[in-house]
Each structure stands twice: as structure tokens, then as C-alpha cells.
Amino acid sequence: MAIILGVDPGSRITGYGVIRAEGRHIEYLDSGCIRVGEMPMAQRLQTIFQSLATLIGEYRPEEFAIEQVFMARNPDSALKLGQARGAAIVSAANSGLAVHEYSARQVKQAVVGKGGADKSQVQHMVQVLLSLSRKPQADAADALAIAMCHAHMSQSILRVASGAGKVRGGRVRQQ
């Protein structure tokens, strides 16, 4: 059983989602948004860092997953996004958590079944898969999807690893 904190970083709104994964069973624990608005960039980064540190202290996740940087059309926006990601990653690293990164395409593929899904499809599937009474806010839904993607990827790795040395076709398969 692992508690996973997923983060969808943003320079104005950073989504977070906390789930508990045990085998294929995933349980919703919490989600929301860290809203930093129009404050100076240094204060935004500090707020993201401290807010995530508080969440880590409260939920004690064993795993931390975050969305990889994508190439934005606006270089200034891409730099700000990178800074927000950095604040989130350092918050996790300071707590001793390994950081797992997934592309938006991987996340959408894991949760919706197609890498080109739009935000509303991700929200809907997160609501359905976690049996939520209503759709989470878009950034929180993305963060939950990132956490779920990590849970699925971790399970896939465990299945492959546990398959090493099994007998197939009369021979022992070694890896």
C-alpha cells in the first residue's frame, strides 16, 4: 500500500492529488489547488514549496509524481512553469521522496486510454475511477491523474519484475 502525491505544477495554480494505491485498488484521499495569484514570483514559488511541504507532512506520501515540462508557445510561460516545477520537486526532495515524472501524454493514456484526451475527459475519468460525487477542479483532476498514472506504472513494473524467472514453455525465463 502506498500513498501517492501527484502534482500538476503551475505558476498561478498548482493542482495536487493524494491517493492510496494497493494493488489495483486506488482510493481517493484529498485534492485541491494551491492558488498563488498575482504575487511576485519569488513569493509564488515559496508558497508552492511550503504548501506542498505541509501536504507531505500531513499525508506522509511514500511516492511523489509530477508532470514533465512541455514546450509552451510562450517562452516566458515555460520558464515560469519550470520554476513552479522546481519548487515542487525541491519540496518533495527535502522530504526524502523520490520524484517520478510523467508526460501529459502518458498520464492521459493511463487514465483515459488515449494520449490526446482533453481536460474534460480527464476530469470525467478521474471522477469515475475514484468514485467521486462531482468532478474535481481541472488542475486537481490533472494532479489526481498524475498520481493514478504513477500507481499504474508502478504496478506494471512490479508485474514485469515478478515475472522474471517464471517457467514459460518448459524453460525458465531469465532476465
Side-chain angles (χ1 to χ4, degrees), residues 47-126:
T47 300
I48 293 166
F49 175 89
Q50 289 176 336
S51 298
L52 289 173
T54 299
L55 287 166
I56 291 167
E58 182 177 344
Y59 289 101
R60 305 264 183 237
E62 291 92 4
E63 305 283 339
F64 179 89
I66 191 166
E67 189 172 83
Q68 288 176 339
V69 172
F70 61 92
M71 197 56 190
R73 292 181 191 167
N74 181 338
D76 188 52
S77 295
L79 287 171
K80 288 177 181 173
L81 173 61
Q83 291 171 339
R85 282 185 80 253
I89 289 169
V90 171
S91 189
N94 274 356
S95 297
L97 295 172
V99 175
H100 304 276
E101 300 180 62
Y102 299 97
S103 70
R105 188 165 203 72
Q106 285 175 300
V107 172
K108 292 172 183 178
Q109 181 69 42
V111 175
V112 179
K114 62 180 185 174
D118 63 33
K119 279 196 174 281
S120 66
Q121 290 172 306
V122 172
Q123 280 179 291
H124 174 74
M125 287 307 297
V126 165

